[in-house]
């Protein structure tokens, strides 16, 4: 089969694939197959690779796969004959790792590349697939190894050798390196968290009173009837999550049940829907609060526009974690605004209510939209597009790199969740070291003579091991466990 595989194929060529001569009847399987031989060690796995490019019909592929094991059967009795079997899940990637063709950070980025759905997901996956991240981690690990070596020199040789510097000076020098490294790791952790937003998608919750237009807005955003729209309040009872690409950011919009006060008649099903709505809002990355314009009649018989934020919505917003969540406010149904009124005055009224109730501030100006059918109001499409453009700007701020020299830190956005957890462990070990040497965050050592150098050196060893687990390099006792976690994906 292709001249008994491998030995005679030295370049790309078209060949006829047939069953091996040992088969009961040799027959042509594919008359025009492309055979590619990649010699080691510059292949993807670091080993010899033979690729059979056959015509994609199901029967052709099945017949070729059935014939491949017969090649090994034809060489029974020859101890040098290779065994032919199906690769185990992730085996080619594992071989690439063991042959130093890929490290763990590149392998994780490869998985992200395969699962990327948006342009920004593809970009961060490509960044992670380079060797920049692993080189950065390895550089930090080497710094820790050198720092640990200086401390262990104090342990092993302090009584026998004369040092040019006092032990206190050596500890201070090591600690200054640790403080600088800790700052870099903290920036990498922050960027990794932002990268997870890009990789996993940004979660948004549409929060508002019943009949505020949440489902209508969702339908406008996704461009289809994803949620039921009705003039009857309380149509949405469960959470409806829809994924959509917004400016290259993968976003999950959650259409939630409307929240209203206990004074209104609320049945058990609606109560459960409201509970789920609050729960979903409190775990969202971005909450979009929709407040509809209402027309009310004054005592003198004139009509005016009115805005009111329900107390249940305000109570939910006060439970938000403003350090992690962003709250955006949008005035809906602006087509109801009277001719003697304007959007700016409505936005001012909305801002006044937010200030009076001490609600979370919005990182972007209050938006104004209308979800009427575009055929009835030509401005509607522009309103929604302006909302999406404003959200895209917010997403860019949320995922901007934290380091001062952002150009050199963009690769850290590609760090996986596993890498971020190990960076946190490394950061905590460095913090333990600083506690051992009794040094405060701004770098003042209070008592160098009382430093337990043995414990301090152990903290640096543990920190270096965390970095070794990220890339799969160095002497780490449980590296096989690390490999199992990565390759099972």
């Amino acid at each position: 089969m292709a001249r008994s595989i491998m030995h005679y194929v030295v370049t790309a060529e078209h060949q006829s694939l047939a069953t091996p001569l040992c088969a009961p009847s040799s027959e042509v399987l594919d008359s025009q197959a492309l055979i590619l031989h990649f010699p080691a060690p510059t292949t993807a796995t670091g080993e010899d690779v033979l690729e059979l490019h056959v015509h994609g019909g199901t029967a052709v592929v099945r017949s070729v796969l059935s014939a491949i094991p017969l090649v090994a059967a034809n060489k029974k009795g020859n101890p040098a004959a290779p065994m032919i079997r199906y690769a185990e899940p992730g085996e080619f990637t594992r071989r690439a790792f063991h042959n130093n063709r890929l490290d763990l950070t590149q392998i994780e980025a490869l998985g992200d590349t395969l699962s990327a759905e948006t342009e920004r997901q593809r970009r961060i996956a490509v960044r992670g697939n380079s060797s920049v991240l692993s080189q950065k981690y390895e550089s930090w690990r080497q710094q820790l190894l050198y720092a640990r070596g200086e401390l262990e020199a104090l342990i092993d040789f302090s009584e026998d050798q004369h040092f040019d510097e006092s032990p206190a000076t050596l500890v201070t020098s090591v600690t200054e390196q640790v403080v600088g490294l800790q700052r870099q790791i903290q920036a990498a952790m922050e960027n990794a968290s932002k990268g997870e937003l890009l990789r996993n998608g940004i979660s948004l919750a549409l929060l508002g009173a019943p009949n505020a237009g949440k489902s209508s807005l969702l339908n406008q955003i996704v461009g289809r009837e994803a949620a039921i729209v009705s003039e009857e309040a309380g149509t949405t009872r469960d959470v409806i999550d829809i994924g959509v690409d917004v400016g290259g950011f993968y976003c999950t919009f959650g259409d939630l049940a409307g929240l209203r006060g206990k004074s209104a008649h609320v049945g058990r099903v609606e109560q459960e829907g409201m509970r789920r709505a609050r729960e979903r809002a409190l775990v969202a990355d971005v909450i979009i609060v929709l407040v509809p314009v209402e027309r009310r009649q004054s005592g003198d018989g004139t009509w005016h526009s009115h805005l009111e934020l329900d107390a249940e919505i305000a109570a939910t917003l006060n439970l938000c974690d403003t350090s992690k969540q962003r709250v955006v406010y949008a005035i809906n149904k602006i087509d109801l605004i009277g001719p003697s009124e304007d959007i700016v005055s409505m936005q001012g009224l909305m801002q006044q209510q937010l200030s009076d109730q001490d609600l979370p501030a919005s990182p972007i100006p209050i938006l104004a939209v209308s979800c009427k059918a575009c055929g009835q109001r030509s401005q509607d499409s522009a309103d929604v597009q302006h909302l999406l453009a404003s959200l895209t700007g917010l997403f860019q701020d949320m995922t901007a790199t934290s380091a001062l020299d952002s150009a050199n830190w963009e690769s850290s956005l590609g760090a996986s969740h596993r890498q971020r957890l190990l960076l946190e462990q490394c950061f905590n070990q460095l913090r333990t070291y600083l506690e051992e040497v009794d040094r405060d965050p701004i770098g003042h050592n209070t008592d160098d003579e009382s430093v337990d150098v043995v414990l301090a050196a152990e903290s640096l060893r543990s920190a270096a091991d965390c970095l070794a687990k990220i890339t799969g390099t160095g002497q780490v006792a449980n590296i096989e466990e690390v490999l199992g976690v990565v390759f099972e994906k």
Side-chain angles (χ1 to χ4, degrees):
M1 184 176 184
R3 300 182 185 175
S4 294
I5 295 200
M6 197 76 74
H7 297 294
Y8 300 99
V9 183
V10 295
T11 185
E13 59 183 65
H14 281 100
Q15 288 197 6
S16 175
L17 289 182
T19 54
L21 296 178
C22 66
S25 61
S26 182
E27 61 175 327
V28 175
L29 305 176
D30 192 341
S31 60
Q32 285 291 312
L34 177 63
I35 313 300
L36 298 177
H37 174 221
F38 300 91
T42 57
T43 63
T45 62
E47 302 171 345
D48 285 326
V49 174
L50 181 72
E51 290 186 359
L52 307 179
H53 293 249
V54 301
H55 291 89
T58 303
V60 174
V61 174
R62 185 188 301 117
S63 64
V64 172
L65 291 177
S66 299
I68 289 176
L70 299 178
V71 177
N74 192 30
K75 294 188 175 182
K76 283 186 177 179
N78 180 4
M83 181 182 68
I84 299 177
R85 61 173 176 81
Y86 282 104
E88 298 176 358
E91 183 174 355
F92 285 110
T93 309
R94 182 182 283 269
R95 291 189 179 200
F97 171 77
H98 286 301
N99 291 323
N100 296 319
R101 298 296 295 168
L102 294 173
D103 59 42
L104 291 185
T105 62
Q106 292 173 309
I107 291 170
E108 289 176 309
L110 176 61
D112 293 335
T113 302
L114 296 175
S115 61
E117 296 184 24
T118 69
E119 178 63 15
R120 292 182 187 273
Q121 287 176 324
R122 183 195 64 80
R123 288 178 184 175
I124 65 168
V126 170
R127 290 192 191 111
N129 204 20
S130 68
S131 59
V132 176
L133 261 183
S134 55
Q135 289 174 358
K136 188 187 300 290
Y137 296 145
E138 180 60 19
S139 171
W140 292 344
R141 190 177 77 90
Q142 291 295 332
Q143 291 181 48
L144 289 175
L145 292 179
Y146 294 145
R148 174 187 166 197
E150 291 187 38
L151 291 183
E152 292 186 341
L154 290 178
I155 301 172
D156 297 335
F157 307 112
S158 59
E159 296 181 359
D160 304 326
Q161 302 291 332
H162 173 71
F163 291 94
D164 294 335
E165 299 173 318
S166 67
T169 304
L170 283 174
V171 170
T172 300
S173 174
V174 169
T175 304
E176 289 173 353
Q177 298 175 47
V178 169
V179 169
L181 182 57
Q182 193 181 40
R183 292 195 187 102
Q184 295 182 64
I185 292 177
Q186 184 171 20
M189 288 161 47
E190 293 173 358
N191 291 339
S193 297
K194 295 175 179 180
E196 286 184 44
L197 279 179
L198 292 170
R199 187 181 305 105
N200 301 330
I202 299 174
S203 172
L204 298 97
L206 298 176
L207 190 67
N211 212 18
K214 301 181 295 298
S215 298
S216 297
L217 178 60
L218 177 66
N219 291 342
Q220 291 280 352
I221 291 173
V222 302
R224 61 184 176 88
E225 295 293 322
I228 298 174
V229 176
S230 171
E231 293 183 1
E232 178 184 348
T235 305
T236 304
R237 297 297 179 89
D238 206 348
V239 177
I240 300 175
D241 282 323
I242 304 292
V244 63
D245 183 341
V246 177
F249 294 91
Y250 182 77
C251 301
T252 302
F253 284 86
D255 183 16
L256 313 181
L259 302 184
R260 52 178 167 176
K262 297 179 181 179
S263 59
H265 176 69
V266 179
R268 290 184 178 180
V269 175
E270 188 173 356
Q271 287 179 2
E272 176 61 19
M274 291 170 60
R275 185 194 67 79
R276 295 186 182 187
R278 284 188 288 266
E279 188 178 77
R280 173 67 169 78
L282 294 177
V283 296
D285 300 310
V286 178
I287 301 175
I288 302 178
V289 182
L290 255 65
V291 182
V293 175
E294 298 177 6
R295 296 295 289 173
R296 292 190 179 182
Q297 191 174 24
S298 303
D300 58 2
T302 59
W303 289 86
H304 67 279
S305 299
H306 178 75
L307 293 174
E308 184 175 352
L309 192 65
D310 193 281
E312 280 293 314
I313 299 173
T316 302
L317 294 177
N318 283 324
L319 296 176
C320 292
D321 185 352
T322 54
S323 65
K324 298 179 180 179
Q325 295 180 287
R326 309 292 193 278
V327 181
V328 175
Y329 301 93
I331 300 173
N332 193 18
K333 304 184 181 181
I334 58 173
D335 52 285
L336 297 179
I337 296 176
S340 62
E341 302 166 319
D342 56 47
I343 295 175
V344 175
S345 63
M346 291 292 100
Q347 291 171 323
L349 179 61
M350 184 75 243
Q351 187 61 57
Q352 186 61 48
Q353 290 193 32
L354 299 179
S355 301
D356 293 343
Q357 300 184 58
D358 195 24
L359 295 177
S362 173
I364 60 177
I366 295 174
L367 302 169
V369 297
S370 173
C371 296
K372 286 183 63 177
C374 292
Q376 299 179 23
R377 185 172 179 274
S378 60
Q379 183 63 25
D380 292 343
S381 177
D383 292 342
V384 175
Q385 292 304 315
H386 175 66
L387 180 144
L388 294 177
S390 299
L391 289 178
T392 301
L394 173 61
F395 299 157
Q396 290 172 344
D397 292 338
M398 292 170 60
T399 57
T401 50
S402 300
L404 295 177
D405 189 2
S406 60
N408 294 329
W409 282 85
E410 286 187 348
S411 60
S412 58
L413 290 172
S416 67
H417 180 68
R418 181 190 71 88
Q419 294 171 35
R420 182 176 63 80
L421 292 180
L422 287 169
L423 286 174
E424 288 180 359
Q425 294 178 25
C426 178
F427 182 86
N428 291 335
Q429 289 295 336
L430 295 182
R431 183 169 56 191
T432 301
Y433 166 85
L434 294 178
E435 292 171 354
E436 293 293 343
V437 299
D438 196 20
R439 189 183 185 91
D440 64 33
I442 61 173
H444 299 111
N445 195 294
T446 56
D447 188 3
D448 287 311
E449 300 300 331
S450 63
V451 171
D452 190 327
V453 179
V454 175
L455 291 178
E458 178 62 20
S459 296
L460 295 185
R461 183 196 66 78
S462 298
D465 281 352
C466 292
L467 296 175
K469 290 178 183 178
I470 294 179
T471 59
T473 59
Q475 300 297 321
V476 183
N478 59 344
I479 189 63
E480 284 302 319
E481 295 180 11
V482 177
L483 295 180
V485 170
V486 175
F487 288 117
E488 71 182 7
K489 300 179 181 179

